Amino acid sequence: HNHELQSARTARPHFQQPLLHMHVRTLTHNEVTIYSDIPDMTCMKFTIPPPPIPTRFRKLRAPTSIATYSFRQMTVWTKPEYNWKEWMTHLADVLHCRKIKLVFEEGADKYQVLGLKKIFEEFEILSVRVERNDIEFTGQVLKMLHPTEELFVNPTNAEASNSIIRIRGNLEVLEFGDQFPLTISQLEKLDSQNIKIWLLMVTDLDLNTFLKKWISLKTNLNLKQLITRFGLVSISEGYQQRILNGIPYYLVKQSEEDKAILVVGKYQIQRRDGRRAILTFDTTIFP
């Protein structure tokens, strides 16, 4: 189920950015392959898979060559004497690009985070995605590698751990996967603009209190959109009114698109500084 808190101000249009995709899947062959047909790169996407041999704290082995493929040509750079840091510096110089996006696939927690930090420390990290890795490793990634725009985390053992993952800064997009349920107090500590939470463990009263705090400028001041599924909300009759109890609102007419996705309620509320928000309840709200 989606609960959406969205600014009524005009959103910036989203443009597809040119992207160099650098995939490190060929570690067993000691080579990195790049597929691209875009001459001007805005960033490099670097995917870190699990190591070929599942050894704890393994070092990421540097390739001996990097092959680039496009519709126009194929180029192979061979530098067996290069370590990873030298390779990254070389790529940045050749491609005129020092911005990267990092993806840590499931099993990447067998690598040393400190070693990865040294490889990428001279680059601007636009986004980090950590897929189903140990929460301790995930926390280390977030402590050492600080994305400036987007972050996705989905640790495997979040519920069984007392570890606290600290999210820094005002990100454009912050997303938590299905393995990482959040509480309302954790939500209130997040300062990002667009937040997606697969499972938010809240009650009707929690949501009512959160909305009142948001209206009073006491929490999540940068929030433009919140999309989440509710874990503890009672779906008995009148739950929407319990969530909106004591909050001035206007009914919003549903569009044809709303009806297609089974929207069951749509309301507009306004913050003290004039920012308006649309609350949308649909039938996928509940797990």
Side-chain angles (χ1 to χ4, degrees):
H1 151 69
N2 292 340
H3 164 248
E4 186 172 302
L5 174 63
Q6 184 173 353
S7 170
R9 295 178 179 177
T10 304
R12 290 187 307 170
H14 177 73
F15 298 101
Q16 185 68 32
Q17 294 293 327
L19 178 68
L20 167 69
H21 188 180
M22 187 162 70
H23 215 306
V24 198
R25 281 195 179 281
T26 52
L27 280 175
T28 52
H29 302 291
N30 219 25
E31 181 183 276
V32 170
T33 304
I34 299 171
Y35 293 91
S36 175
D37 192 39
I38 304 172
D40 299 317
M41 302 301 156
T42 58
C43 70
M44 294 184 283
K45 183 177 180 181
F46 194 96
T47 303
I48 301 171
I53 302 175
T55 304
R56 185 68 172 166
F57 301 128
R58 183 179 176 85
K59 183 179 179 181
L60 188 65
R61 186 174 64 174
T64 57
S65 63
I66 290 185
T68 63
Y69 294 84
S70 73
F71 293 112
R72 299 187 183 91
Q73 62 181 354
M74 181 191 78
T75 305
V76 178
W77 300 329
T78 301
K79 295 283 185 180
E81 71 277 14
Y82 273 14
N83 60 32
W84 262 118
K85 194 171 183 66
E86 290 168 330
W87 262 122
M88 294 302 294
T89 300
H90 183 59
L91 285 173
D93 292 341
V94 171
L95 300 171
H96 308 290
C97 177
R98 289 191 174 274
K99 297 182 178 182
I100 59 175
K101 295 185 176 184
L102 297 177
V103 178
F104 294 89
E105 292 187 339
E106 182 176 1
D109 52 8
K110 302 302 184 293
Y111 291 114
Q112 294 180 348
V113 179
L114 182 59
L116 297 171
K117 178 186 178 183
K118 291 179 179 179
I119 293 173
F120 303 118
E121 62 187 357
E122 295 182 5
F123 291 79
E124 179 185 350
I125 301 174
L126 299 182
S127 73
V128 171
R129 186 178 184 92
V130 190
E131 293 270 14
R132 295 179 180 270
N133 284 286
D134 181 86
I135 192 169
E136 181 180 353
F137 172 84
T138 303
Q140 290 175 352
V141 168
L142 300 186
K143 184 178 180 180
M144 296 186 186
L145 304 173
H146 306 141
T148 59
E149 295 182 1
E150 300 180 2
L151 173 63
F152 172 89
V153 291
N154 196 25
T156 55
N157 54 345
E159 290 183 271
S161 174
N162 293 322
S163 300
I164 298 175
I165 290 184
R166 298 186 180 276
I167 309 297
R168 297 190 177 198
N170 172 19
L171 299 172
E172 290 185 16
V173 178
L174 175 58
E175 184 173 354
F176 298 89
D178 59 350
Q179 300 295 310
F180 198 173
L182 266 68
T183 64
I184 197 72
S185 61
Q186 289 172 318
L187 169 61
E188 290 178 351
K189 294 176 182 177
L190 304 176
D191 196 34
S192 295
Q193 300 173 41
N194 299 281
I195 301 175
K196 298 179 181 180
I197 303 172
W198 181 259
L199 188 58
L200 184 62
M201 305 305 290
V202 294
T203 65
D204 310 30
L205 179 60
D206 290 333
L207 285 169
N208 178 262
T209 302
F210 173 78
L211 291 175
K212 288 178 178 177
K213 285 184 177 180
W214 183 81
I215 290 171
S216 301
L217 301 172
K218 294 179 179 178
T219 190
N220 298 81
L221 298 185
N222 288 310
L223 186 62
K224 293 182 178 179
Q225 184 180 65
L226 171 65
I227 300 177
T228 183
R229 300 175 78 212
F230 298 149
L232 300 175
V233 171
S234 169
I235 59 174
S236 59
E237 185 177 353
Y239 75 91
Q240 295 180 36
Q241 294 307 313
R242 292 195 298 273
I243 291 172
L244 291 166
N245 183 43
I247 298 174
Y249 65 85
Y250 297 96
L251 284 173
V252 177
K253 184 178 180 181
Q254 294 185 26
S255 65
E256 292 301 318
E257 182 181 356
D258 291 334
K259 295 175 183 177
I261 61 174
L262 303 178
V263 168
V264 293
K266 196 169 185 178
Y267 309 88
Q268 177 180 291
I269 62 175
Q270 184 167 317
R271 204 164 66 176
R272 284 184 178 177
D273 63 353
R275 172 171 284 185
R276 290 171 292 175
I278 302 296
L279 305 179
T280 302
F281 298 90
D282 67 48
T283 54
T284 64
I285 291 179
F286 308 101

